[in-house]
Structure formats: C-alpha cells, structure tokens
C-alpha cells in the first residue's frame, strides 16, 4: 500500500482525494544570482504535462519549503519534514488557502517567444530562446538555454503568461533548461539565475483534498 503523508492539519490519508498530480522527474538547479556557490532548488515535474510543477528547497537540516503550482488553478506553499518527504510516495495537502488565478489567451497578444541563434558552451552548441514579458506589467526578458538530448520533456514554464503563449504558438523547442536568467531593459541580470545540476526519473504524487 502506498505510504501517504499528511501536511499541515491533515492526518494520515483517507480515501477521496480532490485532485492528484503525478511527477516523473526531479531536476536540481543552483540559484546563482547572489551567491557564487549557489543555493539548491529542486523541481518535481511531469515530462508530458507542463500545466503544473512543484519545487522545494532546504530551510534547515530537518525541513523543506514546498510549493505547488498549476497554471490558472492552484498555488500553495507549505513546509514538510525531510524524513517525511523521502518516505512518502504521495504527499497530501488540505487547505483553502490556495490561490485561483484567471488566465486567458488574450494575454498572449502582448507577450512573445523568440528563438535565438545557438549559444556555444564548452565548444558545444545549445538551443536557446527568450520570452518577452508584457511591458505594461513587468519589463523583463527571460532567457532559456536548453540541455541537449532532453526533448522528451516539455518546457517548464513558470510564468503564467509564458505558459499561455506556449499553448497558443508552440514555437519553442522542448527540453529541460540548462540555464535560466532574467534581464531588465538595461541588460542587467535580475530576479534569478539558475544553472542545471542534474535530473533523473523520480516518482512522486501530490494530492490536494478540498
């Protein structure tokens, strides 16, 4: 029987989940913007469904900060014991403090993806593209460099506008990102800079019970 973990006010699992989400990969990045050593951030993803994702990072030696996102639907943040996270195949969340966001294809009219020339890293070519945000909301450009031989994985688009644009155009390459960074109109790197450390298959479920 699957081991079920309860989070927050939830005791060990009961039947009748509201929604269940499956993950088949874990991806580790280093957040490098303000730290030359970098801080590890882990993503749980479904390689065939990029509507949702989860991320977690260490708070201290005993706990992770865990977040779950589904575009246009759900956004919650919580904490979990590391020992519980590793033991549980299914993580259960119960609470009404998640956020519902409205998205629509009209957003795609003010944003765009642009495929760029390959960049060369260590004498190897890498595909790359940029997402141009809606300047009326936030004037940033998000740059993505794609790890070779990861076409099996759909793009992991954290911004809801970029996800909507992707569903409309489908004009960028699939694949896990080798690097992600953000530039402001002055060409300065801001917000975040992520570098890929590793990825592997990893089975985990998150169930949300209303």
């Amino acid at each position: 029987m699957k081991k079920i973990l309860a989070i927050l006010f939830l005791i060990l699992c009961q039947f009748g989940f509201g929604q269940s989400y499956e993950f088949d990969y874990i991806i580790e990045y280093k957040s490098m913007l303000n730290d030359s050593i970098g801080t590890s951030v882990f993503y749980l993803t479904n390689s065939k469904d990029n509507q949702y994702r989860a991320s977690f990072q260490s708070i201290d030696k005993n706990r992770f900060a865990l977040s779950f996102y589904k575009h246009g639907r759900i956004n919650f943040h919580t904490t979990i014991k590391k020992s519980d996270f590793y033991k549980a195949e299914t993580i259960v969340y119960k609470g009404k403090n998640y956020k519902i966001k409205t998205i629509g294809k009209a957003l795609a009219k003010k944003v765009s993806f642009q495929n760029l020339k390959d960049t060369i890293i260590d004498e190897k070519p890498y595909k790359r593209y940029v997402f141009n945000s809606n300047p009326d909301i936030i004037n940033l450009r998000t740059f993505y460099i794609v790890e070779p031989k990861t076409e099996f994985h759909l793009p992991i688009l954290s911004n809801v506008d970029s996800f909507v644009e992707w569903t409309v155009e489908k004009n960028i390459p699939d694949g896990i990102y080798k690097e992600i960074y953000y530039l402001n109109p002055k060409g300065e790197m801001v917000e975040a800079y992520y570098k890929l450390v590793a990825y592997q298959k990893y089975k985990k479920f998150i169930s949300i019970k209303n």
Side-chain angles (χ1 to χ4, degrees), residues 157-171:
L157 300 168
S158 58
N159 179 284
V160 66
D161 289 7
S162 63
F163 176 75
V164 173
E165 172 69 4
W166 176 80
T167 62
V168 174
E169 300 294 341
K170 297 287 181 70
N171 62 343

Side-chain angles (χ1 to χ4, degrees), residues 14-21 74 92-93 206-210:
Q14 303 171 2
F15 292 105
F17 297 134
Q19 301 170 77
S20 184
Y21 299 92
I74 301 166
V92 180
Y93 176 86
I206 290 180
S207 289
I208 300 172
K209 191 173 182 181
N210 299 324

Side-chain angles (χ1 to χ4, degrees), residues 81-165:
K81 291 181 179 179
K82 292 180 179 180
S83 58
D84 290 338
F85 179 90
Y86 292 125
K87 287 188 296 185
E89 184 176 87
T90 299
I91 296 171
V92 180
Y93 176 86
K94 182 179 181 181
K96 295 186 177 181
N97 59 337
Y98 56 80
K99 303 173 184 177
I100 305 297
K101 297 181 179 180
T102 302
I103 62 174
K105 292 184 178 180
L107 288 171
K109 295 180 180 180
K110 293 188 176 182
V111 301
S112 64
F113 281 109
Q114 178 185 355
N115 286 295
L116 305 173
K117 291 183 179 179
D118 289 358
T119 188
I120 305 298
I121 301 175
D122 296 329
E123 300 182 352
K124 296 179 181 179
Y126 290 83
K127 294 180 181 178
R128 63 184 183 128
Y129 54 89
V130 59
F131 175 71
N132 301 298
S133 300
N134 182 348
D136 296 335
I137 299 175
I138 182 170
N139 197 2
L140 285 181
R141 304 179 77 203
T142 308
F143 289 80
Y144 303 91
I145 300 175
V146 182
E147 179 73 5
K149 300 180 181 179
T150 61
E151 296 84 359
F152 58 84
H153 201 298
L154 291 175
I156 309 162
L157 300 168
S158 58
N159 179 284
V160 66
D161 289 7
S162 63
F163 176 75
V164 173
E165 172 69 4

